[in-house]
Amino acid sequence: MALSTVRRQIIGCEECPRLRAYCARIAQDKRAAFRNDVYWGRPVPGFGDRRARLLVLGLAPAAHGANRTGRPFTGDRSGDFLMAAMHETGFANQALCRDKQDGLVLIDAYLSTVVRCAPPDNRPAPTEIANCHPLLQAETTALPRLKAIVALGKIAYDSYWRLLAERDITVRPRPRFHHGLVCRPPGAWPLVVSYHPSQQNTHTGRLTPTMLVDVLTTARTLLDEQRPHGARLGR
Ligand code: SF4
């Protein structure tokens, strides 16, 4: 399936009534600071370079961030934090990620989330994660040059293993989630793990700008290690 088709599927998806209702209500009520904005209010597809070798996978749109702007990690503090690191490591042309008109271009990178609708309290239910997984699966399949993944947080980490299991790649025991973990399962996309750039992590210093830059630098090294038309990678 072409990436454009996957995007249309995502935008039109209504699988999770709780999330759809929440996103629509937030788009209606708005936050006072954004009262003049027209909220996107629909599922948010991934964004970036169609020929990306790196997928950066987060958790979900933020209610007043991507649910407002229609682009992942755009219009909120988490996006600012992430894009500063992506810019510093050459995966983005700029650190600014305010809205769809801001001129941001991702370079060799694609940005996506495990679920595409903002969940209340940033906590999707397991059934909602399961509902959305086929869309992630389709998106990764539609990125023909994909060579490595950065998982932002534990839920993205779990989704990575689920993607691999669907490709008949299993690792036992699975490594314990921790920031900076690098996994190289045979025949699969290598993975680098980061804490999620949520304000809960960035405000407390659990995740610093340097830590995220280091993760993306590691991802860059993994990409550079691979031959252009190398071994079978997770498909
Ligand atoms: S979270 Fe995913 S599966 Fe659920 S409604 Fe949104 S796009 Fe559809």
Side-chain angles (χ1 to χ4, degrees), residues 2-91:
L3 196 55
S4 55
T5 307
V6 178
R7 288 177 61 84
R8 279 197 298 277
Q9 269 196 1
I10 292 170
I11 292 169
C13 183
E14 298 281 347
E15 277 296 311
C16 308
R18 182 183 81 114
L19 299 188
R20 293 306 319 124
Y22 178 71
C23 291
R25 182 169 64 73
I26 292 289
Q28 189 73 34
D29 294 351
K30 305 183 182 181
R31 177 178 283 170
F34 306 124
R35 63 183 173 280
N36 295 325
D37 289 20
V38 176
Y39 275 52
W40 171 255
R42 285 178 277 165
V44 179
F47 163 73
D49 185 348
R50 289 166 186 272
R51 291 175 53 77
R53 291 182 301 156
L54 181 68
L55 173 67
V56 179
L57 185 61
L59 170 59
H64 299 280
N67 185 54
R68 175 173 58 90
T69 61
R71 201 175 67 185
F73 287 98
T74 299
D76 60 22
R77 295 274 169 81
S78 296
D80 293 343
F81 194 94
L82 174 61
M83 214 48 63
M86 290 186 72
H87 181 231
E88 187 167 339
T89 50
F91 288 112

Side-chain angles (χ1 to χ4, degrees), residues 80-161:
D80 293 343
F81 194 94
L82 174 61
M83 214 48 63
M86 290 186 72
H87 181 231
E88 187 167 339
T89 50
F91 288 112
N93 69 328
Q94 62 185 38
L96 180 72
C97 59
R98 188 182 52 213
D99 55 40
K100 282 182 178 174
Q101 284 74 47
D102 58 18
L104 176 66
V105 177
L106 299 190
I107 303 157
D108 206 8
Y110 198 83
L111 193 51
S112 193
T113 51
V114 171
V115 297
R116 318 308 178 115
C117 297
D121 300 322
N122 293 318
R123 286 196 188 144
T127 51
E128 291 160 349
I129 294 171
N131 286 348
C132 217
H133 188 78
L135 298 172
L136 177 62
Q137 164 78 268
E139 209 170 39
T140 54
T141 303
L143 292 169
R145 296 184 77 227
L146 190 59
K147 296 281 190 287
I149 295 179
V150 168
L152 302 175
K154 174 71 162 57
I155 293 177
Y157 176 72
D158 290 341
S159 288
Y160 166 81
W161 292 108

Side-chain angles (χ1 to χ4, degrees), residues 108-216:
D108 206 8
Y110 198 83
L111 193 51
S112 193
T113 51
V114 171
V115 297
R116 318 308 178 115
C117 297
D121 300 322
N122 293 318
R123 286 196 188 144
T127 51
E128 291 160 349
I129 294 171
N131 286 348
C132 217
H133 188 78
L135 298 172
L136 177 62
Q137 164 78 268
E139 209 170 39
T140 54
T141 303
L143 292 169
R145 296 184 77 227
L146 190 59
K147 296 281 190 287
I149 295 179
V150 168
L152 302 175
K154 174 71 162 57
I155 293 177
Y157 176 72
D158 290 341
S159 288
Y160 166 81
W161 292 108
R162 193 167 181 167
L163 286 170
L164 264 53
E166 288 161 352
R167 289 160 167 81
D168 296 325
I169 298 168
T170 51
V171 172
R172 293 280 184 270
R174 185 187 295 180
R176 239 178 101 207
F177 172 87
H178 63 86
H179 180 89
L181 174 68
V182 177
C183 303
R184 301 167 188 249
W189 304 296
L191 173 78
V192 193
V193 174
S194 171
Y195 293 140
H196 194 279
S198 60
Q199 289 189 60
Q200 196 180 6
N201 287 332
T202 58
H203 280 185
T204 57
R206 188 166 195 241
L207 179 65
T208 65
T210 303
M211 288 166 71
L212 189 51
V213 165
D214 287 349
V215 161
L216 292 167

